[in-house]
Amino acid sequence: MATRFERAERLTKLPPYLFIEIDKKKKAALARGVDLIDLGIGDPDRPTPAVLLRELARASPRNRAYHQYPLGSGLPAFRRAAARWFEKRFGVAIDPASEVLALIGSKEGIGHFPVAFVNPGDVVLCPDPAYPVYNAGTIFSEGVSVMMPLSEQNGFLPDFGRIPRQALRRARVMWLNYPNNPTAATASRAFFKEAVRFCRKHGIILAHDMAYSEIYYDGERPPSVLEVPGARDVAIEFHSLSKTFNMTGWRVGFAVGTAELVAGLAAVKGNLDSGVVSAIQAMGIAALGAPASLTAGIRKVYQRRRDVFVSGLRQLGFEVRPPKASFYVWIRLPKGKTSAGYASELLDKAGIVATPGNGFGDAGEGFMRMTITAPESRLKLALQRLARLG
Ligand code: PLP
């Protein structure tokens, strides 16, 4: 007989949440007194810009309305700021009233989106390797994840022609994520055109996660899927202030796109949460309206770290391409090494935390992911330790 505390099936179907497993190992090493260099989780090490913290301090105590439930789809001023930012960045005009929804971080929106649009047994097309939340959200909605492998030969883009026909007939949602976590790949407008054409043809919702839109290098700005003609009635895009403005802890992002898709997600959220803390939305308004130099400064730090770290890795003989965007470095492992085995070896012998590629899906086997969210001095120390490891 089932015990009273047996978890619901949907929870037992979840694969172990990757970062929790790594965190356990990390904590054990720290308890042993190891000087760990943590290149595991993608969380900016630099503080939230002072100008945004000042806005939080200024806005929160004074505004009595902020002391009460925020409710709704986000403060009208936040939605207007998001729409203005979007138009300035991508050249696409957005209606702040019907096409923008404030989120408690983009993860929250991504996880909840299938609740609005996926029925039990519906197929959700997920990239592999990928950010684990696309699959988790599918499981919570009792959908079926069908993986689209991202291969190096195909630039870590899915090959739509290889999606099984049977899966296509039942597909409701396709997730894409560019700039990509974990592979750091970017997608062109031409690829998005093809994705939009494909999703429209097969009646699939195109959900694009663009959490890393502003972490790009060499001046090459990644496009939005909503720039493509025809995307406006098939696509929703998830944006985050977390990585762009060093704001992971404040939890704010937004969804933008087809009004019906935004409204569906808003209907789920209206029954689950009471909105993003208003004072944090005020901070978000300041961030989205900030001069371009704010994000340019953040990018400059990562670009320098990328150059130092990737050239160091290459000198050591690692097979790695300099990322064009994101703060991840996706490294092919030496022949004969498994992802989990190599990550353990690095932790035990060099005190370096890296994320095994297979934690992002089967297609990630043979790779590991390292982040450059650590100071340059630590990245250089990691390179020295790797050199010693041989
Ligand atoms: N999407 C991707 C690909 C991510 O890597 C992350 C966080 O690591 C998120 C979304 C969620 O970001 P947030 O919830 O902080 O907006």
Side-chain angles (χ1 to χ4, degrees), residues 46 48-52 244-247 283 286-300:
R46 312 234 315 151
T48 305
V51 61
L52 306 183
T244 307
F245 301 105
N246 297 338
M247 277 180 68
M283 220 175 153
L288 292 165
S293 55
L294 188 73
T295 43
I298 291 172
R299 267 194 299 277
K300 205 170 149 195

Side-chain angles (χ1 to χ4, degrees), residues 293-311:
S293 55
L294 188 73
T295 43
I298 291 172
R299 267 194 299 277
K300 205 170 149 195
V301 172
Y302 289 129
Q303 174 135 1
R304 162 118 191 112
R305 290 178 182 177
R306 176 200 72 160
D307 293 345
V308 167
F309 195 51
V310 171
S311 70

Side-chain angles (χ1 to χ4, degrees), residues 113-133:
F113 184 68
V115 179
F117 292 100
V118 173
N119 285 312
D122 283 350
V123 163
V124 175
L125 301 167
C126 301
D128 174 11
Y131 181 55
V133 184

